[in-house]
Amino acid sequence: MRVLYKRLSLTRLRTLSSYCCRWGSSRSADPHVAIVGSGPAGFYTAQQIIKGHPTVRVDIYEKLPVPFGLVRFGVAPDHPEVKNCIHTFTQTAHRDRCSFIGNVQVGKDIKVADLQKAYTAVVLCHGSSNDRKLGIPGEDLPNVLSARSFVGWYNGLPEDVGLSVNLDCETAIVLGHGNVALDVARVLLTPIDILAKTDISDYSMDALSKSRIKKVVLVGRRGPLQVAFTIKELREMITLPKCRTVIDLLTLSSLNENIDGEETNTHTVTIENINELPRPRRRLTELLYNAAVNPPEKYTKIWNDATREWHLKFLRSPSEIVPTSSKEGPEAVKFIINMLEGDDDPLRRKAVPTDETDVIPCGLVLRSIGYKGVPLDETVPFDTSRGVIPNKKGRVDGFPGLYCSGWIAEGPVFVLAGAMNNAFATGKVVLEDLGSSKLSSENKGGKDAVLSALQQKGVKTVTFTDWEKIDQAEILLGEKAGKPREKIVSIKEMIRVASSE
Ligand SMILES: Cc1cc2nc3c(=O)[nH]c(=O)nc-3n(C[C@H](O)[C@H](O)[C@H](O)COP(=O)(O)OP(=O)(O)OC[C@H]3O[C@@H](n4cnc5c(N)ncnc54)[C@H](O)[C@@H]3O)c2cc1C
Ligand SMILES: NC(=O)c1ccc[n+]([C@@H]2O[C@H](COP(=O)([O-])OP(=O)(O)OC[C@H]3O[C@@H](n4cnc5c(N)ncnc54)[C@H](OP(=O)(O)O)[C@@H]3O)[C@@H](O)[C@H]2O)c1
């Protein structure tokens, strides 16, 4: 002990003594916290709780044998820098008070109520694993796919490996104007030699290398001032090698909409009013406008060489996906043309249908209108219309000891930084409750109790060390193919590698 105290700095000693006062030495047992989901929300919540409590143990349960959620299975393969947060997550996983328990589907292998019996607190961070539907005829045709499944397919998500994607057509339509829409369009249009250097799954690389797609049309229901994608991602599309940008000029005249009310046509806003927009929105709108109307040479130089193109169309809601005569896929999408109405704030204007329609021919449709959360099991309250767990600052209403963070708490609305802030806020609330008398102080068994129940059910769990074996195997496979990694995409193979010596 004396040696230990010698090694501790004065600051750490002070922190430790403040911990002892705050958490009290009379607690009968160290608290155990279970986290469900090992995406950014799960790891950032774990980080915050471990940092803020001297003795808490945190166990992260994950459905798949591999960690990191959408950082591994969502973030586009050509955005490796975004995945750097994995280093921080790995540091958290290496803390001796943290365990990763993979290959456990909470809700199926173990109920949330059973976790609550074994843990002082349970934090649900299982993300949004479904997507929103349009509810229009033709949505279930072959080659009418959710962007979510398409993303899972190119990123090697086990459930999407077998997705039937037919790229033997010239035009794809992407419905939605968010960053996921730009991701899928970019993957469809990026030259194959660029994709070959990423960690994209090998079977999708193979399919993309044979793709005949030359044109991707991104269609949104509102106007250019309401797009949900961000400037960096738009610029990346505009400067994509060998690809021309075509922004629907007619509808871009909606930038000339007069918001001071003199103009009778509700489609139109004056460009000067851009100055009244918040800066990020103004810069994004200027980039859209310049690319459409007055593209600088640095853009046209790329576009002159183009063999492919992407189009951006506004103010169109899909009303039907028209099948080919044999019904083996889509032939076109029918749209109702909208106008914008309402709110003084242009960003909050609503699309309302006009009598006009449009038809765009295509052979592939990707629906990119947002992800949606699903409940883990019937024991957890759930708002099915929003796809979230109702909560106040991360506390689940009426369920002491139950918390949530990330997309399942707030909806699929933020990027990694937002997931981090939300997780830190929930972590803080958990720490507050651990420091009060709100939660039971008895030892409920934690991981030991759950692992023995899982073992009895024959569930083969995966530790973080096991994941590191999978990681190494993937990097080795990747080296052979000149890629950062070749993802193992079969759960059986993941478990085999995890179990190897
Ligand atoms: C296609 C796409 C690309 C994106 N690209 C970027 C980007 O470039 N930059 C950026 O900042 N943000 C990006 N984002 C947003 C970012 O990925 C999210 O903000 C973040 O991942 C949300 O974190 P989460 O932990 O709430 O959910 P998730 O990352 O989805 O993590 C949830 C975890 O819970 C697990 N899980 C689900 N059900 C269960 C269960 N029953 N039992 C146990 N575990 C379960 C899942 O397997 C998963 O590991 C992207 C999102 C998408 C969809
Ligand atoms: N590179 C990155 O940083 C990156 C990459 C991917 C994802 N992400 C993040 O992940 C989150 C989710 O992205 P997302 O693209 O899935 O969602 P999103 O940003 O919410 O965009 C959804 C798009 O779908 C449209 N839409 C919704 N319902 C519709 C309907 N019924 N009919 C027609 N259009 C409809 C929306 O239009 P309205 O505005 O009219 O509703 C919007 O254009 C976002 O925070 C995003 O920034 C980030």
Side-chain angles (χ1 to χ4, degrees), residues 37 39-41 62-63 69-70 74 106 126 183 371 376 407 414-416:
E62 167 58 51
K63 173 170 79 169
L70 284 170
V106 176
H126 56 283
D183 271 2
Y371 282 49
L376 279 182
W407 276 16
F414 40 60
V415 292
L416 291 172

Side-chain angles (χ1 to χ4, degrees), residues 239-362:
T239 55
L240 196 62
K242 302 219 161 111
C243 187
R244 182 181 307 117
T245 296
V246 184
I247 297 179
D248 192 337
L249 265 181
L250 255 188
T251 336
L252 201 71
S253 68
S254 69
L255 279 172
N256 292 322
E257 184 182 345
N258 187 341
I259 41 178
D260 62 25
E262 281 166 31
E263 188 60 63
T264 46
N265 183 349
T266 40
H267 291 198
T268 47
V269 186
T270 25
I271 192 80
E272 297 89 73
N273 288 322
I274 282 187
N275 294 329
E276 291 168 21
L277 297 169
R279 190 165 181 269
R281 174 63 61 172
R282 176 166 56 77
R283 291 185 54 232
L284 170 65
T285 313
E286 280 166 357
L287 178 58
L288 268 176
Y289 186 79
N290 287 335
V293 180
N294 188 22
E297 204 191 325
K298 62 178 175 184
Y299 298 159
T300 50
K301 238 178 165 176
I302 301 173
W303 301 352
N304 289 342
D305 270 354
T307 50
R308 289 171 164 179
E309 58 191 40
W310 75 286
H311 291 228
L312 198 57
K313 285 186 176 286
F314 304 102
L315 295 171
R316 281 161 171 78
S317 286
S319 57
E320 184 186 344
I321 299 167
V322 185
T324 57
S325 54
S326 58
K327 297 201 169 19
E328 85 250 339
E331 185 176 88
V333 179
K334 281 189 185 169
F335 293 92
I336 293 174
I337 298 192
N338 299 321
M339 54 193 263
L340 295 179
E341 251 185 32
D343 222 285
D344 279 348
D345 175 358
L347 307 185
R348 291 173 51 189
R349 293 210 180 118
K350 290 214 163 79
V352 290
T354 67
D355 295 336
E356 289 173 70
T357 57
D358 190 12
V359 179
I360 306 177
C362 65

Side-chain angles (χ1 to χ4, degrees), residues 88 224 266 431 433:
T88 309
T266 40
L431 287 168
D433 291 357

